[in-house]
Every structure is written in structure tokens, then in C-alpha cells.
Amino acid sequence: MSLFIRKTPYTGPVKAVVLDWAGTAVDFGCMGPAAVFVAVFRERGIKVSAAEARQFMGLAKKEHIRKMCGLPAVQTAWQKKFGSLPEAADVDNLYDRTADLMVKAICRHADVIPGVIDTMARLRGMGIKIGSSTGYVKEMMDVLVPLAKESGYEPDAVVCSSDVPAGRPYPWMCYLNAIKLDVYPMEAMVKIGDTVADIEEGLNAGMWTVGIVETGNEMGLGSADLEALPKVERARRTRQIEDRFKAAGAHYILNRTADVLPVIEDINHRLSGGELPLAGGC
């Protein structure tokens, strides 16, 4: 690749995208992880809602468990049942069970979201490399990656939370993608994901960020349920998600990953003028 020295603004094109997995590339609605978190707490006699489980999606799975244990409702129920608040050992035990159930759930929710495979092929045709980051750990990705490959989805780089010192919103997974893909500067890369944590990860890494609405965790519906949703309710939920993504600083907000090609062209135009992805542009 041509050598870029930061003496002047970068004015070249987008060189790589980094996609989240569940809700962005596979598992329409991010159904697998949400169900697992609910089930793990239910096994301990603690009732949590899918909405409570989804609010921390995108984080490394152990951190997700830790955040859920900090919810007031969970702490109250835990105190009533066990006589104390959740401790570090409880988080460890919950996480171990989560890891077991998550592997099984991944097998049931590995379908590639429609349009993703064709879109990635078109991006590659533009000379753009495909990276990925996830809150899943290696043992989970060892199951998911081969299943996705069988369906035709195979990123050029796969980085998970257990590969780096800390998961989202830290930028380390994006940096490791840049290393594996041999791509820099970071403004030549685009982070695509369906959670606030994805957007924060990309911003912290100095990348352009794209929030995905319809297929992701924030909407939290499978394809059939999304299509059955009344138009008024669908529009209301969409506006709420867009507001959250805007507040997080997303540069772009799309319904689906398959809609990203015009965004890449717009980013190329902005880069050609030396613009940096320092603030949201929605």
C-alpha cells in the first residue's frame, strides 16, 4: 500500500469497513444473545426482561453480565433471594453459564442478514477490505465463523473481545482490525454496528460510524415480527433508535447494512476534502 505520513489531511478513499456480527451481519434482530441473558438470570430465580438485557448489548459478554447485576431491579431481587448483592463470584458464575448457552444459541441464530453478502462483494469490488468486531469471545466465534462461512459470509479479519485488553467502547478491536487488514489511517475505515457501544467504539478509534436500525438489537425484532409491526409503531421505534444513535455521535444511520454503499461514496467525498470523523454528522 502507499505510505501515508500525517503531515497533511488524508484525502484518499475508504479502505476498510469493520462490521459487528449479531444484528449487523448475522442474526436478524440480535435474537440469540438477548434470549441467553434472560435465561441465565431466570435459572438463578431472577426475572429480567429482554429490554433490560438488550440495553448493554455490544459490550463484552462478561461486562454485559456485570452491568446487568448493577441494575436496581436485579439487585433488589438478588438481595431478596440470596441475602446479599451480586458479588464478583456471582458474575463469574453467571458468565460461565452464559458462555455455555451462548454457543448453543449461536448455532440457532447464525443466518446471514439479507443483502449483506452481496453488499460485501460490492465493497470488495471497490477495493475495500472487510473487518469485524464483536462482544463474543473466541469460543463463541469458533462456532459462528464457520457457520457464516458456509452461508457465504467471510470477513477478511475477525476480532473478538477476548483478543484485546478490553471490549467496547474501547477502540482496541478496531485497532487490531487495522493491523490485521494492513489499513491506515483510521479515518480511512468505517465502523458499522447496531448498538451505541458500536458507535462509541468506532468514534474512539477515529473512524466513521454507521448505526444500523431495523435488523439490530435496538429494534430487537426478527424479520417476520418487524414486517408485522404497524407502520405507526415501526416509525416511532425507528425515531427513538435514531435519536439514541445521534446522541451517541453516529455519522450515519441506516435501516440495514445492505444500505451502506451510498454512505461509502459520501464518506469518500468528505475525505477528499480532508474532513476528519471527529463528530457525528447525522
Side-chain angles (χ1 to χ4, degrees):
M1 66 178 179
S2 59
L3 188 62
F4 173 75
I5 305 298
R6 193 177 295 283
K7 297 179 180 178
T8 60
Y10 174 75
T11 57
V14 170
K15 297 181 179 180
V17 297
V18 176
L19 277 72
D20 174 52
W21 280 79
T24 300
V26 302
D27 187 6
F28 196 116
C30 197
M31 307 304 290
V36 168
F37 287 119
V38 171
V40 166
F41 279 85
R42 184 174 60 238
E43 288 182 351
R44 300 297 298 273
I46 307 298
K47 183 178 180 181
V48 298
S49 67
E52 287 173 321
R54 285 184 179 277
Q55 64 182 298
F56 303 115
M57 208 69 75
L59 301 178
K61 296 300 174 270
K62 192 166 187 177
E63 182 62 20
H64 191 138
I65 290 287
R66 188 175 290 110
K67 291 285 189 182
M68 289 183 67
C69 285
L71 290 171
V74 170
Q75 293 196 334
T76 298
W78 200 282
Q79 177 81 45
K80 182 177 180 180
K81 185 172 181 62
F82 300 108
S84 65
L85 295 177
E87 299 176 351
D90 297 312
V91 172
D92 290 341
N93 291 333
L94 288 166
Y95 172 74
D96 289 342
R97 183 58 175 153
T98 297
D100 291 339
L101 293 182
M102 198 70 75
V103 169
K104 298 175 182 177
I106 285 170
C107 294
R108 300 191 299 270
H109 297 278
D111 290 343
V112 181
I113 294 171
V116 168
I117 294 174
D118 178 64
T119 301
M120 295 306 105
R122 295 180 67 180
L123 288 174
R124 284 191 171 108
M126 299 165 62
I128 295 173
K129 298 178 181 179
I130 313 299
S132 66
S133 69
T134 178
Y136 289 145
V137 297
K138 182 180 184 300
E139 292 77 11
M140 300 170 192
M141 295 309 293
D142 285 344
V143 174
L144 180 54
V145 171
L147 291 174
K149 183 178 179 179
E150 288 178 6
S151 298
Y153 179 65
E154 186 178 13
D156 302 312
V158 176
V159 179
C160 59
S161 59
S162 57
D163 293 330
V164 293
R168 301 168 183 145
Y170 290 92
W172 314 136
M173 287 193 289
C174 290
Y175 290 165
L176 187 51
N177 266 281
I179 292 170
K180 288 190 171 189
L181 296 171
D182 192 21
V183 168
Y184 81 102
M186 297 305 294
E187 59 263 35
M189 300 177 68
V190 180
K191 177 65 209 295
I192 305 171
D194 61 291
T195 68
V196 167
D198 283 293
I199 294 166
E200 292 172 339
E201 174 191 29
L203 291 174
N204 284 339
M207 299 167 62
W208 302 92
T209 59
V210 179
I212 302 299
V213 174
E214 288 189 346
T215 69
N217 172 73
E218 297 289 319
M219 186 67 76
L221 296 174
S223 180
D225 288 338
L226 177 66
E227 293 306 315
L229 203 64
K231 290 184 179 179
V232 173
E233 176 62 12
R234 183 166 173 170
R236 184 189 69 82
R237 293 192 184 194
T238 296
R239 285 194 300 270
Q240 288 183 337
I241 298 167
E242 289 175 344
D243 287 344
R244 287 196 288 272
F245 285 168
K246 288 177 182 177
H251 296 94
Y252 300 90
I253 300 172
L254 301 175
N255 284 332
R256 306 185 181 210
T257 300
D259 301 330
V260 78
L261 294 175
V263 164
I264 300 300
E265 293 298 336
D266 190 63
I267 293 174
N268 282 340
H269 174 71
R270 295 170 74 172
L271 285 170
S272 69
E275 187 173 345
L276 293 171
L278 297 178
C282 294

